[in-house]
Amino acid sequence: MALPVETFFLSPTHQGTLQSQVQQMIAHGILSGRFAAGEKLPSTRKLATHLGISRITVTLAYTELVASDYLSARGRSGYYVSANAPVPPVYRPQQMVSDSVDWTRAIGQRFSGGQTLNKPQDWARFRYPFIYGQTDPQLFDHANWRQCALQALGQRDFSALTSDYFDQDDPQLIEFIQRHTLPRRGIAANADQILITLGAQNALWLAAQVLLTQRRTAAFEDPCYPALREILTQSRCHMAPVRVDRDGLPPDAITPDADVIFTTPSHQCPTTATMPMARRQALLDRARELEALIVEDDYEFEMSFLEPPSPALKSMDTDGRVIYVGSFSKSLFPGLRLGYLVGSEPFVREARALRTSVLRHPPGHIQRTAAYFLSMGHYDAQIRKMGAALHTRRTAMQQAIDEHGLNVAGIGAFGGSSFWMRAPDGVDTRDLSRSLRDDGVLIEPGHAFFSGDDLPRNYYRLGYSSIQADKIATGVSLIARALGA
């Protein structure tokens, strides 16, 4: 019995090619049990006419499904659901029962409920998204990334795609970081001092787990990256926030019992302050005095488009006490989740062992794709393109802010991709954020960046990496109107 052609339809929201959508449509029908073994599919001509697409597209989809043994071709008779196609499981749905577990007692450690950033998944539908850290499709080199991904799928790279590296990383990616990325920050390291991570956040977690105990103290910036504060909370160490000033973390304010100091000297998060060279040296001296280690999060150094970035704190370290955290997520795309740790071999050895026990290693195909994208020069070209676009947007943002008299609390001297703003006293930027959404404007309230109980409520962040330059002026005017400026 032939399947009725009306069984098939295309989804207007599908992200893939027409061929892939036809393949998925048929495979899903088989896996769900709607199409049984031996059933005949509509002819390629009939299905193409019904769907309003090319016959060759349907033919190619059928051919791929035959190769995957979902379909079988019977000469001139046509295509049928293969006898070897996956058979959907037959089970009786379990009736819903009341949960009798007392989860308030069963959960040994809580990870939810902290102060975190709330970035809406549908941010791209807003007309004025002043959201930090999201990808602008106009700036990402999708074509060359796709080409590198296809190259990494080739036969030459079969082992990189399929092998279990166990505790190691892609040697091509490690070599590029060692010979190209780190020297641009003034850092020299051998391969045993570099570890690939699932983004900077994963690197910070590894560092905290290796370096901190319940008896040790972590000094960190206030305000700071909220996820870092959550990581430190989960480590159960003693926490010592240090209020930053216009130059970032003040070394003299660090508690004398600090064991590990977490800092973002290139672009302080979220104020964007850049730590001057003299203070960097003072921070190193303070860490030496306290016999403390420093974890340097250099998450946004590639965004220094106004002037060349200052050397990394790690490059000034003569004691081996600085652990460096880098990331490709900000400069490529956040969903990549690819970063790295650089530190002395004893530290990296322990971080590598911990990573291996938790997740083995980041996927080999992603590592090899990134290695190709970096080594072929596509990455540097994208950085130049992004720098030019961000410079234009930053100029438009500064002009609009000045025109409406809004208060800038922090602005990166070397570039970056955001402004740290302060609303008038008495304004709760969480309420401001909710009201602006009705006008199509997204901002980030700043309370989640601060530590303690009495959190400032009138700070907010305006990112400009995800909004077009020609929309900035109108978006800022709507913010000013909501503030009564």
mmCIF file of all heavy atoms in Angstrom, residues 184-214:
data_model
loop_
_atom_site.group_PDB
_atom_site.id
_atom_site.type_symbol
_atom_site.label_atom_id
_atom_site.label_comp_id
_atom_site.label_asym_id
_atom_site.label_seq_id
_atom_site.Cartn_x
_atom_site.Cartn_y
_atom_site.Cartn_z
ATOM 1 N N ARG A 184 50.586 36.992 21.085
ATOM 2 C CA ARG A 184 49.934 38.297 20.932
ATOM 3 C C ARG A 184 49.584 38.901 22.277
ATOM 4 O O ARG A 184 49.336 40.102 22.376
ATOM 5 C CB ARG A 184 48.674 38.143 20.074
ATOM 6 C CG ARG A 184 48.969 37.814 18.625
ATOM 7 C CD ARG A 184 47.737 37.320 17.896
ATOM 8 N NE ARG A 184 46.675 38.302 17.853
ATOM 9 C CZ ARG A 184 45.479 38.078 17.329
ATOM 10 N NH1 ARG A 184 45.208 36.897 16.815
ATOM 11 N NH2 ARG A 184 44.568 39.018 17.310
ATOM 12 N N ARG A 185 49.578 38.087 23.317
ATOM 13 C CA ARG A 185 49.337 38.579 24.673
ATOM 14 C C ARG A 185 50.627 38.632 25.471
ATOM 15 O O ARG A 185 50.595 38.865 26.683
ATOM 16 C CB ARG A 185 48.319 37.681 25.391
ATOM 17 C CG ARG A 185 47.002 37.522 24.656
ATOM 18 C CD ARG A 185 46.296 38.856 24.481
ATOM 19 N NE ARG A 185 45.840 39.400 25.733
ATOM 20 C CZ ARG A 185 46.125 40.622 26.179
ATOM 21 N NH1 ARG A 185 46.899 41.428 25.481
ATOM 22 N NH2 ARG A 185 45.655 41.044 27.340
ATOM 23 N N GLY A 186 51.757 38.358 24.797
ATOM 24 C CA GLY A 186 53.046 38.392 25.471
ATOM 25 C C GLY A 186 53.328 37.163 26.307
ATOM 26 O O GLY A 186 54.194 37.182 27.185
ATOM 27 N N ILE A 187 52.624 36.064 26.044
ATOM 28 C CA ILE A 187 52.723 34.856 26.866
ATOM 29 C C ILE A 187 53.467 33.772 26.105
ATOM 30 O O ILE A 187 53.184 33.510 24.930
ATOM 31 C CB ILE A 187 51.321 34.347 27.259
ATOM 32 C CG1 ILE A 187 50.578 35.417 28.062
ATOM 33 C CG2 ILE A 187 51.415 33.050 28.058
ATOM 34 C CD1 ILE A 187 49.121 35.075 28.327
ATOM 35 N N ALA A 188 54.401 33.117 26.766
ATOM 36 C CA ALA A 188 55.088 31.949 26.226
ATOM 37 C C ALA A 188 54.701 30.734 27.055
ATOM 38 O O ALA A 188 54.686 30.786 28.290
ATOM 39 C CB ALA A 188 56.600 32.150 26.256
ATOM 40 N N ALA A 189 54.356 29.646 26.389
ATOM 41 C CA ALA A 189 53.942 28.438 27.107
ATOM 42 C C ALA A 189 54.244 27.226 26.240
ATOM 43 O O ALA A 189 54.219 27.302 25.006
ATOM 44 C CB ALA A 189 52.449 28.483 27.435
ATOM 45 N N ASN A 190 54.537 26.097 26.875
ATOM 46 C CA ASN A 190 54.671 24.857 26.117
ATOM 47 C C ASN A 190 53.333 24.129 26.106
ATOM 48 O O ASN A 190 52.383 24.517 26.801
ATOM 49 C CB ASN A 190 55.796 23.979 26.681
ATOM 50 C CG ASN A 190 55.550 23.571 28.133
ATOM 51 O OD1 ASN A 190 54.442 23.179 28.498
ATOM 52 N ND2 ASN A 190 56.586 23.658 28.967
ATOM 53 N N ALA A 191 53.256 23.070 25.311
ATOM 54 C CA ALA A 191 51.980 22.387 25.121
ATOM 55 C C ALA A 191 51.420 21.821 26.415
ATOM 56 O O ALA A 191 50.199 21.752 26.605
ATOM 57 C CB ALA A 191 52.139 21.276 24.083
ATOM 58 N N ASP A 192 52.289 21.419 27.341
ATOM 59 C CA ASP A 192 51.825 20.839 28.605
ATOM 60 C C ASP A 192 51.264 21.885 29.564
ATOM 61 O O ASP A 192 50.735 21.539 30.618
ATOM 62 C CB ASP A 192 52.979 20.098 29.295
ATOM 63 C CG ASP A 192 53.376 18.839 28.544
ATOM 64 O OD1 ASP A 192 52.520 18.300 27.833
ATOM 65 O OD2 ASP A 192 54.536 18.418 28.673
ATOM 66 N N GLN A 193 51.381 23.155 29.198
ATOM 67 C CA GLN A 193 50.855 24.232 30.037
ATOM 68 C C GLN A 193 49.549 24.804 29.497
ATOM 69 O O GLN A 193 49.065 25.815 30.000
ATOM 70 C CB GLN A 193 51.899 25.342 30.147
ATOM 71 C CG GLN A 193 53.175 24.915 30.858
ATOM 72 C CD GLN A 193 54.247 25.981 30.819
ATOM 73 O OE1 GLN A 193 54.423 26.674 29.815
ATOM 74 N NE2 GLN A 193 54.965 26.145 31.914
ATOM 75 N N ILE A 194 48.953 24.147 28.485
ATOM 76 C CA ILE A 194 47.731 24.625 27.834
ATOM 77 C C ILE A 194 46.673 23.528 27.904
ATOM 78 O O ILE A 194 46.955 22.363 27.611
ATOM 79 C CB ILE A 194 47.990 25.014 26.363
ATOM 80 C CG1 ILE A 194 49.102 26.059 26.273
ATOM 81 C CG2 ILE A 194 46.704 25.541 25.708
ATOM 82 C CD1 ILE A 194 49.567 26.327 24.849
ATOM 83 N N LEU A 195 45.467 23.900 28.275
ATOM 84 C CA LEU A 195 44.353 22.950 28.353
ATOM 85 C C LEU A 195 43.129 23.566 27.696
ATOM 86 O O LEU A 195 42.733 24.680 28.035
ATOM 87 C CB LEU A 195 44.042 22.610 29.816
ATOM 88 C CG LEU A 195 42.914 21.596 30.051
ATOM 89 C CD1 LEU A 195 43.371 20.204 29.614
ATOM 90 C CD2 LEU A 195 42.494 21.582 31.516
ATOM 91 N N ILE A 196 42.528 22.861 26.765
ATOM 92 C CA ILE A 196 41.304 23.328 26.102
ATOM 93 C C ILE A 196 40.112 23.088 27.030
ATOM 94 O O ILE A 196 40.002 22.040 27.670
ATOM 95 C CB ILE A 196 41.082 22.601 24.764
ATOM 96 C CG1 ILE A 196 42.290 22.792 23.841
ATOM 97 C CG2 ILE A 196 39.821 23.126 24.072
ATOM 98 C CD1 ILE A 196 42.596 24.236 23.512
ATOM 99 N N THR A 197 39.210 24.067 27.092
ATOM 100 C CA THR A 197 38.042 23.977 27.967
ATOM 101 C C THR A 197 36.769 24.280 27.187
ATOM 102 O O THR A 197 36.821 24.757 26.042
ATOM 103 C CB THR A 197 38.162 24.986 29.133
ATOM 104 O OG1 THR A 197 38.156 26.325 28.606
ATOM 105 C CG2 THR A 197 39.455 24.764 29.909
ATOM 106 N N LEU A 198 35.653 24.016 27.804
ATOM 107 C CA LEU A 198 34.356 24.340 27.198
ATOM 108 C C LEU A 198 34.006 25.798 27.517
ATOM 109 O O LEU A 198 33.060 26.100 28.241
ATOM 110 C CB LEU A 198 33.272 23.392 27.705
ATOM 111 C CG LEU A 198 33.380 21.953 27.219
ATOM 112 C CD1 LEU A 198 32.329 21.083 27.888
ATOM 113 C CD2 LEU A 198 33.239 21.874 25.698
ATOM 114 N N GLY A 199 34.797 26.707 26.993
ATOM 115 C CA GLY A 199 34.590 28.128 27.220
ATOM 116 C C GLY A 199 35.309 28.616 28.465
ATOM 117 O O GLY A 199 35.858 27.834 29.258
ATOM 118 N N ALA A 200 35.300 29.948 28.652
ATOM 119 C CA ALA A 200 35.981 30.550 29.803
ATOM 120 C C ALA A 200 35.321 30.161 31.114
ATOM 121 O O ALA A 200 35.999 29.999 32.141
ATOM 122 C CB ALA A 200 36.002 32.079 29.649
ATOM 123 N N GLN A 201 34.014 30.000 31.116
ATOM 124 C CA GLN A 201 33.315 29.658 32.360
ATOM 125 C C GLN A 201 33.750 28.295 32.869
ATOM 126 O O GLN A 201 33.970 28.104 34.065
ATOM 127 C CB GLN A 201 31.805 29.693 32.129
ATOM 128 C CG GLN A 201 30.984 29.543 33.392
ATOM 129 C CD GLN A 201 29.521 29.909 33.174
ATOM 130 O OE1 GLN A 201 29.203 30.842 32.448
ATOM 131 N NE2 GLN A 201 28.633 29.169 33.799
ATOM 132 N N ASN A 202 33.905 27.337 31.963
ATOM 133 C CA ASN A 202 34.396 26.020 32.337
ATOM 134 C C ASN A 202 35.829 26.108 32.852
ATOM 135 O O ASN A 202 36.210 25.416 33.809
ATOM 136 C CB ASN A 202 34.313 25.075 31.135
ATOM 137 C CG ASN A 202 34.852 23.696 31.414
ATOM 138 O OD1 ASN A 202 35.666 23.187 30.653
ATOM 139 N ND2 ASN A 202 34.406 23.062 32.492
ATOM 140 N N ALA A 203 36.629 26.988 32.258
ATOM 141 C CA ALA A 203 38.004 27.185 32.713
ATOM 142 C C ALA A 203 38.030 27.738 34.141
ATOM 143 O O ALA A 203 38.835 27.304 34.972
ATOM 144 C CB ALA A 203 38.742 28.125 31.759
ATOM 145 N N LEU A 204 37.155 28.698 34.418
ATOM 146 C CA LEU A 204 37.084 29.255 35.769
ATOM 147 C C LEU A 204 36.645 28.198 36.780
ATOM 148 O O LEU A 204 37.153 28.144 37.897
ATOM 149 C CB LEU A 204 36.115 30.440 35.790
ATOM 150 C CG LEU A 204 36.550 31.685 35.004
ATOM 151 C CD1 LEU A 204 35.400 32.681 34.911
ATOM 152 C CD2 LEU A 204 37.768 32.342 35.654
ATOM 153 N N TRP A 205 35.718 27.344 36.383
ATOM 154 C CA TRP A 205 35.260 26.276 37.279
ATOM 155 C C TRP A 205 36.389 25.304 37.583
ATOM 156 O O TRP A 205 36.602 24.919 38.742
ATOM 157 C CB TRP A 205 34.076 25.535 36.645
ATOM 158 C CG TRP A 205 33.549 24.425 37.503
ATOM 159 C CD1 TRP A 205 32.670 24.529 38.542
ATOM 160 C CD2 TRP A 205 33.897 23.032 37.417
ATOM 161 N NE1 TRP A 205 32.437 23.282 39.095
ATOM 162 C CE2 TRP A 205 33.166 22.355 38.428
ATOM 163 C CE3 TRP A 205 34.735 22.303 36.572
ATOM 164 C CZ2 TRP A 205 33.272 20.976 38.613
ATOM 165 C CZ3 TRP A 205 34.842 20.929 36.763
ATOM 166 C CH2 TRP A 205 34.115 20.280 37.769
ATOM 167 N N LEU A 206 37.140 24.914 36.552
ATOM 168 C CA LEU A 206 38.262 24.008 36.760
ATOM 169 C C LEU A 206 39.284 24.626 37.715
ATOM 170 O O LEU A 206 39.791 23.959 38.621
ATOM 171 C CB LEU A 206 38.922 23.679 35.423
ATOM 172 C CG LEU A 206 38.147 22.754 34.477
ATOM 173 C CD1 LEU A 206 38.796 22.742 33.100
ATOM 174 C CD2 LEU A 206 38.073 21.342 35.041
ATOM 175 N N ALA A 207 39.593 25.910 37.491
ATOM 176 C CA ALA A 207 40.568 26.593 38.341
ATOM 177 C C ALA A 207 40.090 26.627 39.788
ATOM 178 O O ALA A 207 40.861 26.369 40.723
ATOM 179 C CB ALA A 207 40.819 28.003 37.821
ATOM 180 N N ALA A 208 38.820 26.956 39.993
ATOM 181 C CA ALA A 208 38.281 27.024 41.357
ATOM 182 C C ALA A 208 38.306 25.660 42.032
ATOM 183 O O ALA A 208 38.638 25.549 43.221
ATOM 184 C CB ALA A 208 36.858 27.584 41.322
ATOM 185 N N GLN A 209 37.958 24.622 41.296
ATOM 186 C CA GLN A 209 37.929 23.286 41.879
ATOM 187 C C GLN A 209 39.319 22.814 42.275
ATOM 188 O O GLN A 209 39.490 22.140 43.295
ATOM 189 C CB GLN A 209 37.313 22.295 40.879
ATOM 190 C CG GLN A 209 35.837 22.483 40.634
ATOM 191 C CD GLN A 209 35.018 22.212 41.884
ATOM 192 O OE1 GLN A 209 35.188 21.187 42.533
ATOM 193 N NE2 GLN A 209 34.139 23.134 42.226
ATOM 194 N N VAL A 210 40.310 23.151 41.476
ATOM 195 C CA VAL A 210 41.670 22.703 41.750
ATOM 196 C C VAL A 210 42.323 23.515 42.871
ATOM 197 O O VAL A 210 43.060 22.980 43.708
ATOM 198 C CB VAL A 210 42.525 22.770 40.462
ATOM 199 C CG1 VAL A 210 43.999 22.527 40.761
ATOM 200 C CG2 VAL A 210 42.027 21.754 39.440
ATOM 201 N N LEU A 211 42.049 24.814 42.917
ATOM 202 C CA LEU A 211 42.796 25.708 43.803
ATOM 203 C C LEU A 211 42.136 25.975 45.147
ATOM 204 O O LEU A 211 42.814 26.356 46.102
ATOM 205 C CB LEU A 211 43.032 27.051 43.100
ATOM 206 C CG LEU A 211 43.819 27.005 41.784
ATOM 207 C CD1 LEU A 211 43.905 28.396 41.186
ATOM 208 C CD2 LEU A 211 45.204 26.426 42.005
ATOM 209 N N LEU A 212 40.825 25.799 45.235
ATOM 210 C CA LEU A 212 40.105 26.237 46.431
ATOM 211 C C LEU A 212 39.586 25.059 47.251
ATOM 212 O O LEU A 212 39.245 24.009 46.704
ATOM 213 C CB LEU A 212 38.942 27.147 46.040
ATOM 214 C CG LEU A 212 39.343 28.488 45.434
ATOM 215 C CD1 LEU A 212 38.126 29.192 44.848
ATOM 216 C CD2 LEU A 212 40.023 29.370 46.486
ATOM 217 N N THR A 213 39.532 25.262 48.546
ATOM 218 C CA THR A 213 38.906 24.326 49.469
ATOM 219 C C THR A 213 38.020 25.133 50.421
ATOM 220 O O THR A 213 37.971 26.371 50.361
ATOM 221 C CB THR A 213 39.956 23.555 50.295
ATOM 222 O OG1 THR A 213 40.612 24.479 51.189
ATOM 223 C CG2 THR A 213 40.989 22.895 49.390
ATOM 224 N N GLN A 214 37.351 24.443 51.327
ATOM 225 C CA GLN A 214 36.490 25.135 52.283
ATOM 226 C C GLN A 214 37.297 26.000 53.250
ATOM 227 O O GLN A 214 36.742 26.872 53.909
ATOM 228 C CB GLN A 214 35.660 24.108 53.057
ATOM 229 C CG GLN A 214 34.669 23.347 52.193
ATOM 230 C CD GLN A 214 33.802 22.401 52.990
ATOM 231 O OE1 GLN A 214 33.403 22.705 54.108
ATOM 232 N NE2 GLN A 214 33.514 21.235 52.422
#
